[in-house]
Amino acid sequence: MDKFKHGRDLLHRFEGNPIVGLNDIPFRCNTVFNGSPIKKDGTYYLLLRIEGQGGASVFALATSSDGLCFKVEPVPVMTPAKDGIFKKYEGRGIEDPRITEIDGTYYVMYTAYSQYGARIALAKTENFYAYERIALVSEPGNKDGILFPEKINNEYVRFDRPIGNGIGSMWISYSKNLLDWGKSEILMSPRPRFWDSYRIGASVPPIKTKYGWLEIYHGVRMTSSGPIYRIGTVILDLDDPTKIINRCEESILSPREDYERIGDVGNVVFACGAILEDNGELKVYYGGADTHLCVATISFQKLIDFSLN
Ligand code: BMA
């Protein structure tokens, strides 16, 4: 029996969704959503964004042996900084972690949120239980920072999402040392009349294929009853990721199920990571309605074929 629902979307939802909900969190909190997965030595680690009752978010760790059934650790693994330079900029929480492995080191780019706005921060971890902050790597007004898994032309590369002229576009920036970022270039902007017409941002650490970097991103369409967050794909040139090979016209996942429609922010599917399994299946982890953590799958080859056309 197929455990995944075949609906109207390219991605197949797991029938057991949501895989992590409020009742699975061992400590008091408001919501759980937007988790970033890593698979290491057969164990799945999922770094979850948990919003507390006060409104600030922290990160909790969930582990699993099959990527579907997770157990959440009893206390958060990363909370807003209590001292040092980070304290000032994490006063309203830490949000939307994205883990990227580069040469055996696990980096986490996340949003540091404070009274000054959202800015991108960088930390690293060896075991997913303890995190060492490295630096604040953007000014405010920027989020959805995601590292590429390898250097390109001897430089680290990241997606980021500054808002200029009120427009949230995806940009690419470069760094020689992960601390100082620049050479920023626009990658792509919202497309009028499409599912991603209002705002876009990178979602999943880019996956290298022989056709180019496959990026799963989020797009927002504004409607008379509020925004709708969807997921789509773009393929970028391997040597120069500011060059778009193909940007799909259709989204691959739209909010339809109750756990995506109903929650603190309704009509949201928001991915923060994916696992490519040895059998060619891609598991995409996403937050539903800013209140649940869900997974959907697809054959990676099918997603590439779709994304190239
Ligand atoms: C984005 C981020 C996400 C959130 C989404 C929908 O801007 O803040 O964390 O899931 O909005 O509310």
Side-chain angles (χ1 to χ4, degrees), residues 62-75:
T63 56
S64 167
S65 56
D66 64 2
L68 301 172
C69 181
F70 281 88
K71 187 172 186 307
V72 183
E73 292 295 321
V75 291

Side-chain angles (χ1 to χ4, degrees), residues 37-46 61-67 70 106 127-129 275:
I38 285 284
K39 187 177 179 185
K40 189 184 177 200
D41 302 331
T43 298
Y44 296 77
Y45 298 89
L46 190 55
L61 182 67
T63 56
S64 167
S65 56
D66 64 2
F70 281 88
Y106 294 93
N127 55 19
F128 311 105
Y129 288 82
I275 299 289

